[in-house]
Amino acid sequence: VVARHAPLARALVRAGTSQPTSRARARRISTPSAAPLDVEVILRHAEPEHRDVVKRAVERAERVRDRWTVETIEFLDPGALHSVENAVRAVCGDEVEVRAWGGFASAERRRATIARADSVDEEEIRDTVRVLRVQGNFMFDAATHRDFLGAILGTGIKREKVGDIVVTGERGADVMVSPEMAEFLSTALTSVRTVKVEAREVDASELKVPEPKVEDIFSSESSTRLDALGSAGFRMSRSKFVAHVESGDVKVNWKEVKKGRYDLSAGDVVSCRGKGRLEVVDIQPARKEGRFACNLRRYV
């Protein structure tokens, strides 16, 4: 299972980000000329959970602009990356670019390299992410994405040091990490659950990202609210799904939503902790008045 995939690109565009168009090319953000904005104003408009990383990113962007340096931020989820891009664009205009790379084209978690326009080549950007291969015999004790992540964080490193994790079944997993973490984890990571493992860095060309498992769901609903489409897509009662929403388990386009009445549109992506991810592919008025024909795609 991959920690998420290219077909979600439409939601990334809606959230203000877009996926790289090929594995050989890191994402490049061009910024139109604009008058710089006050940093405090930008922080007030950023999502509360992103304000610390946005503040640090802006400080780095200003340093890059003034000193002609190049700086790379640790792994960010799509929501945080969107906030960082907007903030850097608002403060530095077209003097500074944000380029993001996560190890492969459809990676969800990516590192953001901040640099003066045209001052860094693509090879340097791709080199900010390394592939750590974690191998062991999981034939009789299958491990999940959560198991691998838990074992890695158990070595004492922080979540932002780890990118996507591509689970490869009974063989183990490939983990996207920063260069320094690849070296550290090659000795610090010795087991996942009850299985002894060997961790070593491999060339990115050896990475094989499997196609995601998807389920297309067609449903007729009385509304396009989160609680209606979420319960249909995740195949659970509305009351049970609402409980997940109110517990903070649900995000829409990588932003936490705690109200079931939140209205969804085509292109939105809904994630529910432990249940996978749901893309709203299309919504059309149904033949029956007051109903909506909804095309949903669940990633498991």
Side-chain angles (χ1 to χ4, degrees):
V1 180
V2 183
R4 312 312 176 213
H5 311 285
L8 307 181
R10 280 185 293 172
L12 286 168
V13 171
R14 183 172 179 178
T17 64
S18 59
Q19 296 283 14
T21 56
S22 71
R23 181 173 174 177
R25 185 178 69 198
R27 190 165 144 278
R28 177 171 175 166
I29 306 298
S30 296
T31 54
S33 298
L37 297 180
D38 183 81
V39 175
E40 293 304 319
V41 173
I42 294 169
L43 292 177
R44 284 200 298 271
H45 285 84
E47 293 293 319
E49 64 269 29
H50 300 155
R51 285 174 184 163
D52 286 344
V53 70
V54 166
K55 183 178 181 180
R56 293 194 298 272
V58 168
E59 290 172 351
R60 291 185 175 198
E62 291 178 319
R63 191 158 56 238
V64 166
R65 180 193 60 196
D66 297 339
R67 302 180 186 177
W68 291 79
T69 58
V70 176
E71 304 214 13
T72 301
I73 299 173
E74 299 303 341
F75 289 96
L76 304 174
D77 63 36
L81 179 59
H82 172 51
S83 295
V84 165
E85 290 169 346
N86 282 347
V88 171
R89 182 182 299 116
V91 171
C92 297
D94 60 1
E95 293 182 89
V96 173
E97 293 181 344
V98 177
R99 305 188 194 183
W101 181 243
F104 56 98
S106 58
E108 177 182 303
R109 293 177 60 81
R110 290 170 284 170
R111 301 190 72 187
T113 296
I114 304 173
R116 280 273 186 170
D118 301 318
S119 64
V120 180
D121 64 31
E122 306 304 321
E123 288 297 328
E124 290 182 84
I125 294 172
R126 289 198 295 275
D127 197 47
T128 63
V129 179
R130 303 290 177 83
V131 180
L132 185 74
R133 179 152 293 169
V134 182
Q135 292 181 305
N137 185 1
F138 293 94
M139 182 178 293
F140 303 107
D141 189 9
T144 65
H145 178 281
R146 181 175 293 183
D147 293 326
F148 284 103
L149 179 60
I152 291 168
L153 299 184
T155 64
I157 69 174
K158 295 182 179 180
R159 181 66 177 97
E160 58 265 28
K161 299 292 185 179
V162 184
D164 283 13
I165 299 175
V166 182
V167 179
T168 55
E170 63 186 40
R171 295 172 297 166
D174 289 332
V175 185
M176 307 305 115
V177 294
S178 60
E180 63 273 15
M181 286 300 103
E183 182 178 356
F184 169 74
L185 289 170
S186 65
T187 57
L189 184 62
T190 58
S191 65
V192 175
R193 291 181 59 180
T194 60
V195 178
K196 292 184 178 180
V197 299
E198 176 188 1
R200 61 185 177 88
E201 183 180 340
V202 299
D203 190 81
S205 63
E206 296 186 35
L207 178 64
K208 290 182 172 59
V209 181
E211 289 296 318
K213 295 180 179 179
V214 299
E215 177 188 8
D216 285 317
I217 300 167
F218 299 90
S219 180
S220 175
E221 299 295 330
S222 60
S223 79
T224 59
R225 287 171 32 148
L226 173 61
D227 52 5
L229 300 191
S231 62
F234 290 110
R235 300 191 183 282
M236 65 178 74
S237 68
R238 187 172 297 197
S239 60
K240 187 174 181 179
F241 181 73
V242 168
H244 281 289
V245 173
E246 294 175 346
S247 297
D249 293 337
V250 176
K251 293 183 178 181
V252 177
N253 299 333
W254 301 278
K255 296 179 182 180
E256 186 176 299
V257 175
K258 287 195 172 183
K259 298 293 184 181
R261 62 175 178 268
Y262 185 94
D263 199 39
L264 297 176
S265 302
D268 284 340
V269 173
V270 181
S271 60
C272 182
R273 186 175 295 123
K275 303 296 181 181
R277 184 161 294 171
L278 184 73
E279 180 186 3
V280 181
V281 178
D282 191 30
I283 298 176
Q284 296 291 336
R287 291 182 179 179
K288 186 175 181 180
E289 188 175 353
R291 309 285 297 183
F292 296 89
C294 303
N295 180 3
L296 311 173
R297 181 168 297 147
R298 184 179 178 187
Y299 297 81
V300 296

